[in-house]
Amino acid sequence: MGDVIDTELLVLGGGPGGYTAAFRAADLGLSVTLVEARETLGGVCLNLGCIPSKALLHAARSLEDARALSELGIEFGEPRICLDKLRTWKEALVAKLSGGLAGLARRRKLRVVTGRGAFTGPNRLAVADGPTVNFKQAIVAVGSHPVRLPGLPEDPRIMDSSAALALKDVPGRLLVVGGGVIGMELATVYAALGARVTVVELTEGLLPGCDRDLVKPLEARVAGRYEAILTGTRVVSAQAREDGVHVIFEGASAAGPQVYDAVLVAVGRRPNGAGIGAERAGVQVDERGFIAVDARQRTNVPHIFAIGDVVGEPMLAHKAAYEGKVAAEVAAGRKAGNDAKVIPAVAYTDPEVAWVGLTETAARRDGVAYESASFPWAASGRALSLGRGEGLTKILVDPRTHALLGVGMVGPQAGDLIAEAALAIEMGAEPGDIALTIHPHPTLSETLAFAAEAYEGTLTELYLNGKKS
Ligand code: NAD
C-alpha cells in the first residue's frame, strides 16, 4: 500500500487479450505492468471458460464415443463417473496453463500486480489495497461478465457458466436458459454426464444468428438426447424451493410448470467498461459498457487503447488476442492496425458448428449477393468411418469476383477445420484455389475441397451433372 510504480505501458486485465498485449509489448522493449484482479493470469477464458469447458467437453465426447461403439460390436458397459477425479483433472489442467503464463510473464520481466484497478486520471491507476501505477500508455482489456436474468432468485442451484464449470454435482434435471454457444456447450457436457437436460431459447432456434442448415444436424442430435428443447420460449418466473427450482415458461413451446434440480443461465455477456474509472481518464464508455476504438485499437484518449470483449462483439478470446497484439505494436511505435477480414466462430457442441466470414443469414439480411455450394459429409468416407455422416461444409462466393466470402461447417472437429477457410479468405482465395490444393485423403478437411469442387463443377465424389450442389 502506498507504493508507486512508474511504467511505460499499463495493461489492465490479464485475460487472453491482456496477457498477449503485455507479452508482445515486453518483447518489443517496453516496461510493462499488468494489473489483474484474479490471483492467476488467463482471465475468464482460461480460468472459468474456454479451457475448463473444453476439458469437460473432451470427457463428454469420449463418453459419447464409447457409447456409440456398441453399434460396432464393442461394449464397455455403463460408465462409472468419479466427479471428484474429473474435477481435479480439469483444475490441474487450468493450473498448469496459468502456471505456464506466470512463468512466461517472469521470463519477460513483466511486473504483475494482483488487485482490482481503476483509473484515477489520464496517466494514473489505483489498485485496491495495492500500489498506484503511473503510466505513459495503457491498454484496457477488462473483458465481460455474464448477464443475469432479472427476477431469478439467489440460490446455489441457479448457476452462471462459471458455477456450472465448477462441476459441483450432476443434477438429475437441468434447465439451460439460453440456447446460444455457452448454453449449448454446457448442455453437451451435462447431458453426457447423465443429466436430463431441457434447453429454453427465446428465439426460434438454437444458436441464433448461425445458418439454419448448419444448426440442423445439432438440433437433430440433441432432440434424441435431451429431455426437451423449448424454442420461442422464455422463463417467466423461477422459485427456489426445497424440492427444486420451480419454473414457469411462456411462449411457443412453453411446457406447464416444471421443477428442476438446477438451472444454468447463459443468456449473453456484457462488457466490463463501467466501474474502471474510465471517466477519470477521459475515456468514453457507452451506456452498455463498451469502449469505442479506432483501427489501431485507440480509444478517444490517444495514449489509451482498448481490446477484446470490452470493445465489442464477437466476444471471443482469439479476437482479443489479435487486438492485443495490434495495440501492443502501436504502443511500441510500430505501424500496425486491425485489418482482420474475418473472425472464425465455433460452438464446441457435438457436432461442432463453425463459421467464418459471410453467413447466408447475414447475406440475406444485408442484401449481399452470393453464390453457394456445399458438400454433405454423408459422402465423406472419413466422416462415415467415424459414424458421423450428418455433417455439412458450405462455401459462399462473390458471384462477381469469385472470391471466397464465407464458409460454414457442422460436424466433429469443424472447429479445427474452419481455420483453413479463415486463411483462404484472408489470402483472397477463390474456390478454384482450394479445389486445386491437394487435400490429404481420407480426412474431414477434404470436405472443404469438395465443396469448392462442387462450386467449380469439377466434383466427382457426387453426381451433380455439372450443377453446383
Ligand atoms: P449468446 O448471445 O451466444 O447466447 C445467449 C442466448 O440466450 C441467445 O440464443 C438468446 O436468444 C438467448 N436468450 C436471451 N435471453 C433469454 C431468455 N430470457 N430466455 C431464453 N433465452 C434467452 O451468449 P452466451 O452463450 O451466453 O455467450 C456469451 C458470449 O461468449 C458470446 O459473445 C459468445 O460468442 C462468447 N462465447 C463463445 C464461445 C465459443 O466461441 N465457443 C464459448 C463461450 C462463450
Side-chain angles (χ1 to χ4, degrees):
M1 263 223 277
D3 288 354
V4 175
I5 296 170
D6 289 309
T7 191
E8 284 175 326
L9 181 71
L10 161 77
V11 179
L12 183 59
Y19 77 69
T20 302
F23 290 1
R24 182 74 184 121
D27 290 348
L28 290 170
L30 294 180
S31 80
V32 182
T33 301
L34 175 59
V35 175
E36 163 57 49
R38 278 194 185 81
E39 291 292 332
T40 56
L41 295 180
V44 171
C45 171
L46 170 47
N47 293 286
L48 300 163
C50 324
I51 298 299
S53 66
K54 263 76 262 173
L56 296 180
L57 281 162
H58 165 65
R61 172 83 188 274
S62 304
L63 281 166
E64 288 286 334
D65 284 349
R67 285 182 187 124
L69 281 175
S70 67
E71 275 183 38
L72 280 65
I74 302 168
E75 298 273 357
F76 290 102
E78 273 308 297
R80 283 198 311 271
I81 299 169
C82 176
L83 220 52
D84 287 341
K85 212 165 169 178
L86 180 57
R87 195 185 308 111
T88 304
W89 170 72
K90 174 206 66 162
E91 283 165 5
L93 168 69
V94 170
K96 184 174 183 167
L97 287 167
S98 62
L101 288 179
L104 290 174
R106 270 195 306 275
R107 293 188 69 172
R108 291 182 161 90
K109 303 196 180 3
L110 219 78
R111 194 193 292 259
V112 179
V113 177
T114 304
R116 193 161 285 282
F119 291 98
T120 52
N123 291 91
R124 184 167 299 158
L125 177 119
V127 179
D129 301 322
T132 294
V133 184
N134 293 324
F135 59 84
K136 290 201 177 92
Q137 301 186 87
I139 298 176
V140 178
V142 291
S144 61
H145 62 274
V147 171
R148 292 181 59 130
L149 264 190
L152 293 196
E154 282 284 338
D155 187 278
R157 291 166 297 182
I158 300 180
M159 311 176 280
D160 63 13
S161 56
S162 306
L165 285 167
L167 202 65
K168 201 163 55 63
D169 54 22
V170 177
R173 273 192 107 194
L174 171 68
L175 174 67
V176 175
V177 185
V181 179
I182 296 184
M184 291 312 295
E185 288 185 359
L186 286 170
T188 307
V189 169
Y190 275 95
L193 292 176
R196 282 171 289 134
V197 172
T198 292
V199 178
V200 55
E201 163 56 42
L202 194 61
T203 67
E204 294 310 310
L206 300 176
L207 302 182
C210 183
D211 288 349
R212 292 301 93 193
D213 54 352
L214 299 176
V215 181
K216 222 174 183 177
L218 171 66
E219 285 177 334
R221 191 169 168 94
V222 300
R225 285 173 164 73
Y226 297 0
E227 201 168 71
I229 307 287
L230 312 175
T231 51
T233 302
R234 67 188 187 96
V235 171
V236 180
S237 75
Q239 280 185 346
R241 296 192 203 154
E242 206 174 321
D243 62 337
V245 183
H246 290 238
V247 178
I248 297 180
F249 300 99
E250 183 183 85
S253 42
Q258 300 286 319
V259 183
Y260 296 96
D261 299 301
V263 176
L264 162 67
V265 180
V267 294
R269 298 183 66 86
R270 291 251 164 82
N272 287 336
I276 56 164
E279 64 290 349
R280 290 191 287 272
V283 173
Q284 281 163 10
V285 182
D286 76 12
E287 66 287 352
R288 289 180 303 166
F290 285 116
I291 298 175
V293 290
D294 66 12
R296 298 197 151 61
Q297 304 298 138
R298 288 187 201 275
T299 67
N300 60 303
V301 178
H303 68 278
I304 302 182
F305 301 79
I307 60 167
D309 289 6
V310 80
V311 305
E313 304 273 359
M315 296 190 185
L316 297 170
H318 43 277
K319 177 200 137 226
Y322 174 89
E323 292 173 348
K325 282 198 169 155
V326 171
E329 291 181 6
V330 176
R334 294 232 171 166
K335 264 192 175 173
N338 186 339
D339 62 355
K341 276 193 197 165
V342 290
I343 302 166
V346 182
Y348 296 90
T349 42
D350 185 19
E352 292 183 354
V353 186
W355 60 100
V356 62
L358 186 69
T359 63
E360 284 191 285
T361 310
R364 287 200 197 110
R365 184 194 59 212
D366 302 337
V368 178
Y370 69 95
E371 290 178 335
S372 73
S374 56
F375 183 80
W377 290 23
S380 154
R382 187 60 190 273
L384 293 181
S385 74
L386 298 172
R388 303 297 298 268
E390 80 267 36
L392 180 78
T393 297
K394 175 174 71 172
I395 64 170
L396 304 190
V397 181
D398 186 323
R400 203 172 43 83
T401 65
H402 288 183
L404 190 65
L405 296 177
V407 174
M409 293 178 173
V410 53
Q413 308 306 127
D416 289 290
L417 300 173
I418 204 73
E420 180 187 354
L423 178 66
I425 296 173
E426 283 291 344
M427 305 277 298
E430 299 179 9
D433 298 315
I434 299 170
L436 292 174
T437 300
I438 299 177
H439 284 65
H441 176 77
T443 61
L444 297 171
S445 74
E446 285 172 300
T447 65
L448 181 61
F450 292 152
E453 288 181 354
Y455 181 82
E456 294 289 303
T458 58
L459 180 66
T460 49
E461 296 293 305
L462 289 172
Y463 183 63
L464 299 175
N465 199 14
K467 287 196 295 284
K468 294 168 186 176
S469 62

